[in-house]
Amino acid sequence: MNTRLTWICNGATAASRKALFPLDEPLEGKAEEEAGKIAALPRADRIVTSPALRARQTAEALRLEALADPALRDCDHGRWAGRPIAAVEAEEPESLMAWMTEPAAAPHGGESLVDLRKRVAGWMDTQSALGGHVIAVSHAAVIRAAVAHVLQAPPSSFWLNDVEPLAILRMTSNGSRWSLRFQH
């Protein structure tokens, strides 16, 4: 069964501009305006979004009627949520380094990158079994995990792709494997 998956990264927030570990913050006003300028998206069989406010607001700005799916939530940053990355680096340099270099580590008490990837891969497998076209509005970390899964890349590759706010990435599945899809 063929499946098309269109990922859309949530718009920018104050946390993303200030290099904070995210909380459930709203979009910046400019981000809603930028999302509204994105060209019309193709028809989809399913439209889903992370339950986070910034993802739901992005879907609304794109004029998408989306259902919230908990599997698309952002990475759980545990006790680091809402804190500046620079402060965590100054106070817990070993913990931050472990999280960035050891994908199975979760020194913040939240979700490891390995666990994030497993969650995202499981969601993608479900979508592949359903077929059709799905649009998913989620977060940079979720999309990074999806890319690593599609490329069957080592978990450490998570940090090697940069997903900007409002980025759109397409993938396809033939029922047995996923592929990245680049189009003009």
Side-chain angles (χ1 to χ4, degrees), residues 66-90:
L67 296 175
D69 187 329
L72 296 178
R73 70 189 180 281
D74 203 353
C75 184
D76 177 359
H77 294 101
R79 61 187 165 77
W80 293 349
R83 298 195 56 218
I85 295 170
V88 172
E89 182 177 30

Side-chain angles (χ1 to χ4, degrees), residues 42-49 59 63-68 72 133-137:
R43 188 193 70 73
D45 299 296
R46 295 175 306 286
I47 303 173
V48 291
T49 183
R63 296 170 297 288
L64 298 173
E65 292 185 33
L67 296 175
L72 296 178
H133 181 210
V134 61
I135 295 175
V137 181

Side-chain angles (χ1 to χ4, degrees), residues 5-9 71-75 113-125 127 134 136-155 157-163 168-173 177-182:
L5 172 56
T6 301
W7 288 104
I8 302 172
C9 186
L72 296 178
R73 70 189 180 281
D74 203 353
C75 184
L113 299 179
V114 168
D115 290 339
L116 171 66
R117 181 169 167 171
K118 285 179 188 174
R119 172 168 50 91
V120 173
W123 181 85
M124 290 174 66
D125 289 347
Q127 298 309 308
V134 61
V137 181
S138 194
H139 312 283
V142 171
I143 298 170
R144 283 182 182 146
V147 170
H149 173 63
V150 169
L151 296 177
Q152 300 173 13
S157 70
F158 177 86
W159 301 109
L160 300 178
N161 62 79
D162 188 17
V163 180
I168 298 174
L169 181 68
R170 292 174 175 85
M171 299 177 174
T172 58
S173 172
R177 68 173 176 81
W178 284 95
S179 301
L180 292 177
R181 182 178 183 205
F182 298 92

